[in-house]
Amino acid sequence: MAKIEIPNFPELTDDTFNLFRRLIYQEMGINMRDSKKILVANRLRKRIVALKLGSYEEYYRLLTRSESAEEELGHFFDSISTNETYFYRGDNQFSALEKVILPELFKRRRRLHIWSAGSSSGEEPYTIYMVTAEAARSLHWSGEIAIVATDINQEVIASARQGEYGNRALRDLPQRYIDTYFKNLDGGRYRIKEDVKRHVLFNVHNLLKDEPPGKGFDVIFCRNVLIYFDRPTQRKLIDGKFAPALAADGYLFIGNSESLLGESKRFKYAQIFKSPIYRPVDARREENV
Ligand SMILES: C[S@@+](CC[C@H](N)C(=O)[O-])C[C@H]1O[C@@H](n2cnc3c(N)ncnc32)[C@H](O)[C@@H]1O
């Protein structure tokens, strides 16, 4: 990553990097390796300059020993988190949702309750809504779709509520979804329609520290989030937070490059379209085994 040049700005020393690294791990669960020092330095430097502070040490004191420590922690999370995402990311998983999981859930439910954990700026939960709404229409299911989307980063949550996106975020989304669910604002900008927004509730939420935003979810998506955590933290989240929040016959989606194998006693691999989708160990596949 390119270094931002600010004349005379002091370096991040190894000792101070270790202090930040410990704080990141304690507060966010994220494991920053040695190789992430430049990334952390660059991300924090922007915030330090915005606050008109003179060093990383001064910022660390503000974060840990000042009256505004708690409020600043939110901005610290905003600076540190990686929020890369786009619509229809992991199309194999959306096919599994549309073709196998939703038809099965529609038979048993009048209301679908879905949690997108680590939703970033909304592309994932809005995609979940669009895919579910399309499947509902084609299978004549007229129940209610309620999606809760959470992220530790308050800026991405604000932007998700706004619901405005450019071509880059939409690059993998089939055109029919763009035509149906967005208002074209011209100049390559698109806004999610209000009747879609009404189904997706966004909240700032720390997976590590906060209780799950509900119980009995039919599906939980936590994709491309676990990779930032070490094994013990992953296990704590999967068995301690996701398992109790998921319905006994529910589904847990993780990212395409992630795996729960060996990490959980409470989930088993669901074997749907070779996608990383898991179910509670005692869940039955009633419909299509
Ligand atoms: C790479 S994005 C993934 C977005 C989306 N799920 C996807 O797959 O495209 C990872 C998200 O996890 C969030 N995150 C990281 N640590 C978190 C924590 N402790 N609690 C809640 N969200 C967290 C980040 O803010 C970021 O938006």
Side-chain angles (χ1 to χ4, degrees), residues 28 81-83 85 89 118 124 151-152 206-207 223-224:
M28 306 174 79
S81 59
T82 299
N83 311 110
T85 186
R89 180 182 197 178
E124 176 179 277
D151 201 284
I152 196 169
N206 184 343
L207 278 170
R223 302 185 311 154
N224 309 301

Side-chain angles (χ1 to χ4, degrees), residues 215-230:
K215 276 202 170 138
F217 287 103
D218 303 301
V219 188
I220 297 176
F221 281 74
C222 184
R223 302 185 311 154
N224 309 301
V225 179
L226 295 172
I227 32 163
Y228 298 101
F229 302 141
D230 63 8

Side-chain angles (χ1 to χ4, degrees), residues 87-107:
F87 284 92
Y88 217 67
R89 180 182 197 178
D91 57 346
N92 57 326
Q93 293 185 300
F94 286 110
S95 296
L97 181 71
E98 180 194 340
K99 302 211 166 13
V100 177
I101 295 172
L102 290 171
E104 177 194 323
L105 287 172
F106 288 163
K107 287 185 207 152

